[in-house]
Amino acid sequence: MPRIGHGYDVHALDEGLPLVLGGVRIPHRKGCVAHSDGDVPVHALCDALLGAVALGDIGVHFPDSDPRYRGIDSLELLRHVAGLLGREGYSVCNVDLTIAAEQPRIGPYVDLMRERIASALGVGVGEVSVKATTTERLGFVGREEGIAAWAVALVERQTPVAEKI
Ligand SMILES: [Zn+2]
């Protein structure tokens, strides 16, 4: 039986910080304020995957208060989440991410993000969709105060060998 999960994340932007989205370092004058590398879409995806199997959320598994996660590559967190799903007997069918950012332009980096996320999840790049949008200069995203991302993930329980006979 497939299960679906949804995730949402926002980080504030500040001058002079590195900007990492979907595992890709993007040259920009601003980056995300965060305990980790602030990879908004990957955090949303972790929450979608955890949500699909009702395993809590990213804050439960990787608390801000834990110094081990300071500046951590969020793809490491995603690999860990994929491992948790695997231990529960689930595999990832497909994931779909939307990033809302006014600046910089995300489009040129989308395919590289898909490759890096697919690699972390152990799925084909065809199972990973990354889309980017602006908010037409409206709201905190439009004012370039922050970046938001949404993710949906479909997972499926792996059929035990005995059931295949
Ligand atoms: Zn986050």
Side-chain angles (χ1 to χ4, degrees):
M1 196 64 177
R3 294 174 61 125
I4 195 165
H6 172 257
Y8 172 62
D9 194 36
V10 169
H11 281 265
L13 288 166
D14 208 350
E15 304 280 344
L17 295 173
L19 181 63
V20 181
L21 297 173
V24 179
R25 172 77 193 266
I26 298 175
H28 190 49
R29 67 183 197 286
K30 289 181 174 180
C32 288
V33 179
H35 186 68
S36 67
D37 65 2
D39 193 328
V40 189
V42 169
H43 293 177
L45 179 54
C46 286
D47 267 357
L49 291 164
L50 290 168
V53 293
L55 271 181
D57 61 39
I58 194 169
V60 170
H61 292 274
F62 314 108
D64 278 8
S65 52
D66 191 329
R68 282 181 299 170
Y69 304 125
R70 182 174 295 280
I72 194 170
D73 174 354
S74 293
L75 289 178
E76 287 291 328
L77 307 183
L78 184 59
R79 277 186 209 99
H80 184 81
V81 167
L84 288 174
L85 261 71
R87 278 201 284 286
E88 293 288 314
Y90 287 93
S91 59
V92 176
C93 300
N94 74 301
V95 302
D96 184 21
L97 287 75
T98 301
I99 304 167
E102 196 65 40
Q103 289 288 334
R105 305 304 291 179
I106 307 292
Y109 304 97
V110 158
D111 282 339
L112 190 52
M113 291 181 194
R114 291 175 63 211
E115 283 174 26
R116 296 203 172 152
I117 291 168
S119 168
L121 291 177
V123 301
V125 75
E127 276 66 67
V128 178
S129 163
V130 176
K131 311 185 301 300
T133 186
T134 70
T135 58
E136 302 288 341
R137 302 192 181 282
L138 296 170
F140 70 86
V141 169
R143 292 189 297 270
E144 298 180 49
E145 294 169 0
I147 288 180
W150 295 259
V152 175
L154 195 72
V155 304
E156 192 165 42
R157 192 182 277 282
Q158 293 149 354
T159 309
V161 176
E163 287 183 24
K164 285 181 179 165
I165 299 168

